[in-house]
Amino acid sequence: FDNNATDALVIGSGIVTTEVTVDGAADVLNGAPVVLTSSLAVQSGARLTIAPGTALLLLAGHSIDVGGGGTLLAEGTVAEPIVLGPAVAAPATGDWYHLRAFAGSTLRMSHVDLGYAGRVRVAHHVASPEWAPAWRSAARIMKADGFPT
C-alpha cells in the first residue's frame, strides 16, 4: 500500500448477493481500512461477515442496508473491534447516512464501534421516523468488560 492515492482496500460495488467475508484485520491488510465508494446492500438470502479488526469505512452520502432475509455478522473482540464509520480524516456526525435493518433481516454485532452516521435518507415514499433519530449521533455498540454499552 505504499505511494498510492489511498492506502486502503477500495471496493466500488456494494451489493452482497451470496456469502461474503470482508477481512481487514491487521495481519491481512496491515491495518489499512476497507473503503466502500457506494452504499452497501445485503440482499435477501445473502450474508455479509465482517471479520474482527476490520475498519469498514464509507464515503459521504452512503449507507449500509440489510434487506429482509439478509444477514450482517459483525462480531469483533476486545482486542480486535470492528469499526463502521466514515472515510474521512476528521469525522463528524452525518458523514455517512445510516445502518438500516429491514423487517426479517438478521444483525449480530458485538465489539463494533459504529459512529458518525446521522443523515436521514427517505426511501422514495416512505419516511421512517422511528429509526432515524437512533443514528443521528455517534453510537458505540459494544458489550463486554471494558467497552461501553
Side-chain angles (χ1 to χ4, degrees):
F1 297 117
D2 292 331
N3 298 316
N4 296 309
T6 302
D7 287 340
L9 172 60
V10 178
I11 299 175
S13 174
I15 299 173
V16 179
T17 59
T18 61
E19 291 188 21
V20 174
T21 298
V22 176
D23 190 347
D27 62 335
V28 177
L29 292 179
N30 297 320
V34 176
V35 176
L36 295 172
T37 62
S38 66
S39 291
L40 178 64
V42 181
Q43 297 185 339
S44 180
R47 180 173 69 198
L48 174 64
T49 301
I50 303 171
T54 299
L56 184 63
L57 308 178
L58 290 90
L59 295 182
H62 295 295
S63 61
I64 299 172
D65 291 317
V66 183
T71 300
L72 172 64
L73 304 176
E75 297 177 291
T77 66
V78 171
E80 293 184 297
I82 293 169
V83 175
L84 300 178
V88 296
T93 300
D95 279 343
W96 63 290
Y97 282 154
H98 59 258
L99 168 62
R100 180 170 49 178
F102 288 89
S105 62
T106 300
L107 271 69
R108 196 165 66 208
M109 301 172 70
S110 61
H111 300 288
V112 175
D113 189 346
L114 173 65
Y116 304 104
R119 294 186 181 182
V120 177
R121 188 166 141 192
V122 179
H124 45 68
H125 66 281
V126 180
S128 300
E130 67 278 359
W131 60 260
W135 304 110
R136 288 241 162 171
S137 61
R140 292 184 79 116
I141 300 176
M142 302 180 183
K143 285 220 176 221
D145 294 328
F147 280 87
T149 57

